[in-house]
Amino acid sequence: MTTATIEDTSEYVDFWNRVLVPKFIRFRHILVEGTSNHSDQVLPTLGLGEGDRVVDIGCGFGDTAIELARLVGRSGAVLGVDCCDAFLDFARREAAAEGISNLTFVEADVLTHRFQPIHDACFSRFGTQFFENPVAGLRNMRAALRPGGTMTMIVWRALEDNPCMNLPKQVIQRFLPAPEDDADTCGPGPFSMADEAVVRRQLEAAGFEAIAFEPVDAPVVMGKSLDDAVAFQLAIGPAGEIYREAGMIAERRHDEIVAALKCELAPLEKPEGIVMSSGSWKVTARNQQ
């Protein structure tokens, strides 16, 4: 398994590594399990076979890349790409522990990485929504595909289709102001590809054809306990962004915010944790022949 280093990072990539990586590692148990409820529905539909070559864009902790490596068998190959090497450290250890040998991880910015056009499929689970330039990122993903190769990405639908993030945001907005326009950010954001018409135009501009959208709905465990769920919401996602950017105001109103979040989330508690609903798009497209 090899590693490449990003030499010239964008401000978005820098934000991921500087601000979000520690939070994502802390709440890895929530993020991986929750997003897996979406990819578990999509991966079996990719039509991958023994010997196929696949790229996993924004592979994060590596769980989808490992599953893809199983689907293509030992004669196949998977390339997992992410801009955060700290995530890939987990991915490499997990793959090694499971004896996966047909998988390579590379630290790279998908917008600029030079792919070889040899892959049968390109996959991404919630990794494309943060492209600084969506069309450029999608075009470079297409550059990784052989003629006729397929691209499948999972992206969040609208905030209104995702109570798991919308409800906490509504609660925290009662107490804190919205972030300023010049606030630090990880990119366009988790809902930047929620609009089917916009994403279709982006894919067409990137050179894809046979574009299709399919809704995916899944329950997600947003915390193993009420305290876990509240801590997660204050760290990551739309509510977490508002809390982070509010600074001292958030610190002064912390107890009020926590109490309000617990009041809203408590009715959603089940034996496995705080269970909420979520919705994504399965977006498929084909490289031109």
Side-chain angles (χ1 to χ4, degrees):
M1 299 180 188
T2 59
T3 304
T5 302
I6 301 175
E7 295 180 357
D8 299 312
T9 60
S10 71
E11 61 179 299
Y12 295 156
V13 172
D14 176 68
F15 184 85
W16 269 99
N17 283 282
R18 175 171 49 86
V19 176
L20 293 182
V21 162
K23 296 179 179 183
F24 271 57
I25 290 174
R26 177 187 174 188
F27 294 105
R28 179 188 173 209
H29 61 291
I30 296 175
L31 293 161
V32 171
E33 181 176 329
T35 55
S36 292
N37 287 344
H38 289 262
S39 55
D40 285 350
Q41 297 184 55
V42 172
L43 289 174
T45 71
L46 298 184
L48 296 175
E50 183 79 27
D52 281 347
R53 292 175 174 266
V54 186
V55 180
D56 188 351
I57 299 296
C59 65
F61 294 113
D63 57 297
T64 51
I66 289 171
E67 183 58 30
L68 288 166
R70 293 194 182 102
L71 290 173
V72 301
R74 290 187 177 275
S75 62
V78 174
L79 173 65
V81 182
D82 201 278
C83 67
C84 301
D85 203 46
F87 293 158
L88 297 180
D89 284 342
F90 285 88
R92 295 183 192 102
R93 290 196 295 268
E94 186 70 22
E98 298 196 25
I100 304 293
S101 59
N102 60 338
L103 173 56
T104 300
F105 291 108
V106 174
E107 181 194 14
D109 187 339
V110 175
L111 268 72
T112 57
H113 184 68
R114 293 186 177 183
F115 291 102
Q116 291 182 305
I118 60 173
H119 299 91
D120 302 286
C122 188
F123 173 80
S124 181
R125 182 187 68 190
F126 303 119
T128 58
Q129 304 146 137
F130 304 99
F131 284 157
E132 184 175 359
N133 183 328
V135 173
L138 293 169
R139 184 181 293 121
N140 208 32
M141 288 169 64
R142 187 171 70 84
L145 292 170
R146 61 167 175 77
T150 60
M151 187 282 298
T152 303
M153 62 180 181
I154 303 172
V155 297
W156 294 117
R157 299 207 310 271
L159 183 60
E160 294 73 22
D161 295 319
N162 284 279
C164 60
M165 290 176 271
N166 193 23
L167 177 59
K169 180 181 181 180
Q170 291 176 340
V171 171
I172 212 164
Q173 283 177 322
R174 302 176 200 163
F175 302 92
L176 302 175
E180 298 290 339
D181 291 339
D182 61 351
D184 280 344
T185 179
C186 58
F191 303 102
S192 67
M193 288 186 165
D195 189 310
E196 179 180 350
V198 170
V199 177
R200 185 178 295 275
R201 289 195 294 270
Q202 291 172 339
L203 288 164
E204 290 171 345
F208 284 101
E209 59 185 13
I211 300 163
F213 290 74
E214 180 182 333
V216 178
D217 295 295
V220 289
V221 178
M222 299 301 285
K224 299 301 183 183
S225 67
L226 199 53
D227 287 337
D228 192 30
V230 169
F232 174 74
Q233 294 294 346
L234 295 182
I236 295 173
E241 180 186 24
I242 294 171
Y243 186 86
R244 181 187 69 247
E245 290 298 321
M248 293 296 295
I249 302 173
E251 291 183 22
R252 288 196 298 269
R253 307 205 68 177
H254 176 80
D255 291 345
E256 297 174 86
I257 294 168
V258 168
L261 283 170
K262 285 186 174 182
C263 182
E264 294 288 348
L265 296 178
L268 304 172
E269 190 165 15
K270 295 185 178 181
E272 61 269 36
I274 306 302
V275 180
M276 305 180 75
S277 58
S278 64
S280 66
W281 287 116
K282 170 194 172 186
V283 186
T284 55
R286 186 176 65 236
N287 187 19
Q288 297 173 351
Q289 296 283 358

